[in-house]
Amino acid sequence: MPQDTTRVAVDIGGTFTDLVAVRDGGLTLAKASTTPSNFAGGVLDAVEKGGLPLASVDQFVHGTTVVINAITERTGEETALLTTAGFRDVLDVTRANRPDMFNYQYEKPEPFVPRRHRWEVPERVDQAGEPVQPLDEDAVREAAREIRDAGFDTIAVSYLHSYENPDHERRTRELVEEVHPDAYVTLSHELTKEYREYERTNTAVLNSYVRPIADEYLDTLSGRLGNQGFDGTTYAMKSNAGTASFDEARRRPVEMVESGPVGGVYGAAHVGRQLDEPDVVSFDMGGTTAKTSVVRDGEVTIDTDYWLESSPRDEGYPLKIPVVDIVEIGAGGGSIAWTDAGGSINVGPESSGADPGPACYGRGGTEPTVTDANLLTGRLNPDYFLGGDMRLDVDAAETALEPLADEFDTSVREAAHGVLRVVNSNMANALKQVSIRRGHDPRDFVLVASGGAGPLHAATLARELGVKETVVPRAPGQFSAWGMLVTDLRKDFARTRVMPFDGGHADEVAATVAALEAEARDAYAAEDVDEDELVLERSVDLRYAGQEHTVNTPLGDGPVDASEIAATIERFHARHERTFDFRLDDPCEVVNVRLTASAPMPKPAVESLDVAGEPADAVKHTREVDFATEGIHDARVYERDALPTETSIDGPAVVEEPACTTLVHPEQTFEVDTFGNLHIS
């Protein structure tokens, strides 16, 4: 793709919709309110604010919360399941894992398809893919008629061992189409070709559950973009830190489950590489949620066993697809503060969202939020929110916090500090979950903070976590959208091949790798991507013989022979020791062979900065800011774009830019580097 291509990325958040465009070597930024009743409306509002003629746009990249919202809010379509006779109860049996062994009130997660909506089909294939029992085609037709008559338009098909031989699933779709041609049919093997029946079945079910909603949304958005003159290529951000065409996203919408947050993580990794800091903690706080992830050695952590809605007390729901390892909590600028039965302050997960939004937005919100608390402590400028496009109502924020203050017999300002302490504690726990609790020393990491509210809280959280320093990149308020523009087209392929991993099995591993590479080339050829542009990365999931869990290990680029197998085993030993703190001399087994195929896309250029002058030249004014335990200070307020580069400035300070505010505590210092990143230490 030519480097002068005009690319636009739009990220829909719970409160705001962000736009970043690269055209003529420059960057265009815009932010508009999200429109929950019709997300496409917010997208077009952002395009209009950016002053972009859509007819001149070559590529549109989109991240959306439509899929995750449908799942968490249980607003998807009722789904029917066709499965192998005898396996109707896979969704009820689950993994039988109890995350909290001493919770005697524990209940298994409620399946997305109740038992009465599951149909068994006589058929059987063994683990090697050999047919054991032929598909009963009459049973499929009868089930399809019953499903149609019951009013189901979405059907998931998951047969035993179909990852090894999908013929029965493919024939089932043909039979269903004869009887129920309008149905959305998802085949489990088209989403994953790995073993584990419960995970595969649940992945197929969730894909069916959200497919009509995603299909309608992407159709609506495509139509409205077309009506505005857009005639370029549309791509959706996937959970694996890559992009896919809208057509692929319609068929596999479950792969967009973490569509929006992934852009921020990938962008943080890009900033880390730019600064020669390979170990990064990504922290993104928006209006509704806070998201965090760890980048090690410059690589985004991607988990192929992802669990939705899991917690220390709840098992959650598995997805057998590659997803960037993100911890997400309900802590954003619009998160609502409330008191529980014990009289303690809680913040979130409920949010005021975009409509009506926090009380200070003046749109009818009456409940106290994090944004209201930041406003009342002087951390936000009521006249410069969104660069002055929205004026914040201080009186409305005070009115919203008064009931909380009265309940604790304290001032409104102290109640605001209580809200901020609680939300910071919640976010600190999330940061520790991805770092300390996974064996990482935060002192080795840099915290990259983004999102409309992230830089406002980052310096506080960084001190508690103990990271080396905090980095606030350029345009932090639209950073996830910017991150989408540094991603590439990406597809992941995998095959389950359980066998010894040694020189004697090198030919079998090589054959599997070759089959995956051929599949990748065919998939991209269908999208008119030149084979010469493809970047192929091979890996294997290895374990010691007799173990259950695996460690993903890179496989070299050369021939897969005995010497490469030996080198890969050594890499596995090192990775296993780093992950679990021990290594064994036992034989190794391969469980899955993986291939990531990507096609590079043009990236936005990051121009170097050289702003001369003195810090005083960037001072807009001084205002009183309440830093809680550090007292009330007259903090200098700086305009970010006017800050001189490579000049250390002492806090306390507030750094303002149109879509974001950064808070610097007393006894902290900050400076802007030549890439435009703000460093706080």
Side-chain angles (χ1 to χ4, degrees):
M1 182 174 286
Q3 290 295 320
D4 59 356
T5 297
T6 299
R7 302 180 70 209
V8 173
V10 175
D11 173 37
I12 297 179
T15 305
F16 290 104
T17 296
D18 303 325
L19 177 143
V20 175
V22 179
R23 56 174 177 172
D24 301 327
L27 212 60
T28 298
L29 307 173
K31 186 179 280 279
S33 292
T34 295
T35 50
S37 60
N38 181 2
F39 288 115
V43 173
L44 293 177
D45 289 344
V47 170
E48 183 179 350
K49 282 195 171 187
L52 288 170
L54 281 171
S56 67
V57 174
D58 300 292
Q59 188 184 101
F60 182 89
V61 185
H62 185 41
T64 176
T65 58
V66 168
V67 171
I68 188 64
N69 286 350
I71 293 173
T72 57
E73 297 170 8
R74 304 298 192 267
T75 56
E77 294 291 324
E78 278 197 314
T79 298
L81 173 65
L82 286 173
T83 190
T84 303
F87 288 82
R88 183 181 184 183
D89 295 318
V90 162
L91 295 178
D92 297 308
V93 175
T94 71
R95 277 278 150 228
N97 294 331
R98 290 183 57 170
D100 185 354
M101 293 298 295
F102 300 101
N103 177 12
Y104 297 111
Q105 282 76 46
Y106 171 76
E107 295 182 4
K108 287 185 177 181
E110 190 72 26
F112 277 77
V113 178
R115 194 173 192 274
R116 63 184 180 277
H117 296 164
R118 307 172 204 159
W119 278 259
E120 294 183 326
V121 175
E123 68 86 36
R124 194 64 177 265
V125 172
D126 67 16
Q127 78 282 356
E130 294 298 323
V132 175
Q133 180 180 1
L135 177 68
D136 188 332
E137 298 191 356
D138 289 336
V140 174
R141 293 188 183 94
E142 179 60 28
R145 280 190 287 269
E146 292 178 7
I147 289 169
R148 180 198 61 198
D149 295 343
F152 293 101
D153 292 324
T154 60
I155 302 171
V157 182
S158 181
Y159 291 154
L160 189 66
H161 303 310
S162 62
Y163 60 88
E164 190 64 40
N165 182 346
D167 289 348
H168 287 180
E169 285 195 351
R170 290 171 178 157
R171 179 57 180 155
T172 294
R173 175 157 53 197
E174 295 172 354
L175 295 168
V176 169
E177 287 176 349
E178 293 176 8
V179 178
H180 193 358
D182 296 327
Y184 291 88
V185 179
T186 295
L187 306 183
S188 68
H189 79 273
E190 293 180 338
L191 298 172
T192 176
K193 292 183 180 177
E194 298 178 50
Y195 76 160
R196 298 196 185 280
E197 297 311 310
Y198 170 50
E199 286 84 348
R200 293 176 56 252
T201 301
N202 195 72
T203 303
V205 163
L206 287 178
N207 193 76
S208 290
Y209 184 74
V210 299
R211 192 171 169 186
I213 291 175
D215 190 51
E216 181 181 2
Y217 169 70
L218 293 174
D219 260 350
T220 300
L221 180 59
S222 297
R224 295 191 65 175
L225 290 173
N227 291 339
Q228 297 288 326
F230 176 73
D231 191 31
T233 309
T234 50
Y235 290 98
M237 189 72 197
K238 300 201 299 182
S239 303
N240 66 353
T243 50
S245 67
F246 269 23
D247 286 341
E248 181 180 342
R250 285 188 181 95
R251 296 191 302 270
R252 305 158 68 106
V254 75
E255 293 183 347
M256 296 191 295
V257 70
E258 291 288 0
S259 176
V262 165
V265 178
Y266 201 82
H270 189 82
V271 168
R273 289 191 290 269
Q274 185 184 70
L275 301 176
D276 198 23
E277 291 284 359
D279 297 332
V280 167
V281 176
S282 167
F283 170 63
D284 175 2
M285 181 184 180
T288 305
T289 59
K291 289 80 65 176
T292 181
S293 183
V294 161
V295 177
R296 285 295 307 270
D297 299 326
E299 297 296 326
V300 173
T301 303
I302 296 179
D303 195 345
T304 55
D305 289 303
Y306 184 71
W307 291 76
L308 280 169
E309 301 181 8
S310 64
S311 73
R313 295 181 64 86
D314 296 304
E315 182 179 345
Y317 300 88
L319 286 177
K320 200 70 174 169
I321 56 172
V323 179
V324 171
D325 184 15
I326 295 176
V327 171
E328 183 171 0
I329 63 171
S335 294
I336 295 170
W338 53 283
T339 55
D340 60 25
S344 299
I345 295 179
N346 293 265
V347 179
E350 186 179 354
S351 172
S352 60
D355 185 16
C360 61
Y361 283 11
R363 296 175 176 172
T366 58
E367 297 181 277
T369 68
V370 174
T371 299
D372 297 315
N374 277 315
L375 178 63
L376 294 178
T377 53
R379 304 176 187 201
L380 287 175
N381 182 350
D383 298 318
Y384 195 66
F385 195 72
L386 296 184
D389 285 353
M390 179 188 293
R391 191 183 188 287
L392 301 181
D393 189 334
V394 177
D395 292 338
E398 288 183 345
T399 300
L401 277 156
E402 278 175 358
L404 203 61
D406 292 343
E407 188 167 346
F408 290 92
D409 193 24
T410 187
S411 67
V412 168
R413 177 75 65 85
E414 281 301 312
H417 279 306
V419 171
L420 296 178
R421 280 195 292 270
V422 170
V423 76
N424 284 336
S425 176
N426 292 344
M427 292 187 292
N429 285 335
L431 289 165
K432 291 173 183 176
Q433 187 174 334
V434 299
S435 57
I436 295 172
R437 294 175 192 170
R438 298 184 184 178
H440 306 310
D441 187 343
R443 293 172 295 185
D444 298 331
F445 288 76
V446 166
L447 180 72
V448 176
S450 63
L456 201 55
H457 294 258
T460 307
L461 297 170
R463 288 193 310 180
E464 180 167 346
L465 200 61
V467 295
K468 288 195 290 187
E469 69 174 359
T470 301
V471 176
V472 181
R474 280 182 174 179
Q478 294 95 351
F479 190 66
S480 285
W482 182 85
M484 293 177 192
L485 292 181
V486 299
T487 61
D488 296 315
L489 295 177
R490 172 174 171 149
K491 298 180 189 293
D492 290 278
F493 304 87
R495 290 287 188 284
T496 292
R497 290 287 184 270
V498 182
M499 60 184 171
F501 191 72
D502 53 34
H505 291 80
D507 289 345
E508 293 176 65
V509 176
T512 303
V513 169
L516 291 176
E517 291 179 346
E519 185 178 350
R521 292 187 180 97
D522 289 344
Y524 276 111
E527 297 181 10
D528 296 324
V529 175
D530 193 326
E531 182 178 320
D532 294 337
E533 296 181 9
L534 294 184
V535 177
L536 305 178
E537 298 178 17
R538 310 179 299 190
S539 66
V540 284
D541 292 343
L542 298 180
R543 66 187 181 190
Y544 292 116
Q547 286 190 332
E548 164 68 8
H549 299 290
T550 62
V551 175
N552 183 256
T553 307
L555 195 62
D557 295 332
V560 182
D561 52 21
S563 62
E564 179 55 41
I565 294 289
T568 303
I569 289 174
E570 283 305 309
R571 288 192 289 270
F572 163 69
H573 286 315
R575 287 197 167 208
H576 192 281
E577 187 170 17
R578 188 177 70 183
T579 304
F580 299 110
D581 204 29
F582 74 93
R583 60 190 292 165
L584 300 174
D585 294 327
D586 293 13
C588 295
E589 288 182 336
V590 60
V591 176
N592 298 304
V593 180
R594 300 188 183 278
L595 177 77
T596 296
S598 57
M601 305 295 286
K603 309 291 190 294
V606 179
E607 298 177 358
S608 60
L609 290 182
D610 185 13
V611 180
E614 298 296 324
D617 299 335
V619 175
K620 299 167 67 174
H621 56 266
T622 300
R623 77 167 176 263
E624 185 181 278
V625 178
D626 191 339
F627 289 89
T629 57
E630 296 165 283
I632 299 173
H633 295 264
D634 288 328
R636 293 178 297 278
V637 180
Y638 296 89
E639 182 63 45
R640 179 167 179 173
D641 286 345
L643 286 168
T645 50
E646 300 189 299
T647 302
S648 181
I649 305 172
D650 294 330
V654 175
V655 181
E656 293 183 344
E657 54 190 299
C660 192
T661 298
T662 301
L663 185 70
V664 182
H665 287 261
E667 300 184 5
Q668 290 182 330
T669 61
F670 69 99
E671 67 175 76
V672 176
D673 65 24
T674 55
F675 294 110
N677 301 302
L678 186 68
H679 296 249
I680 304 173
S681 57

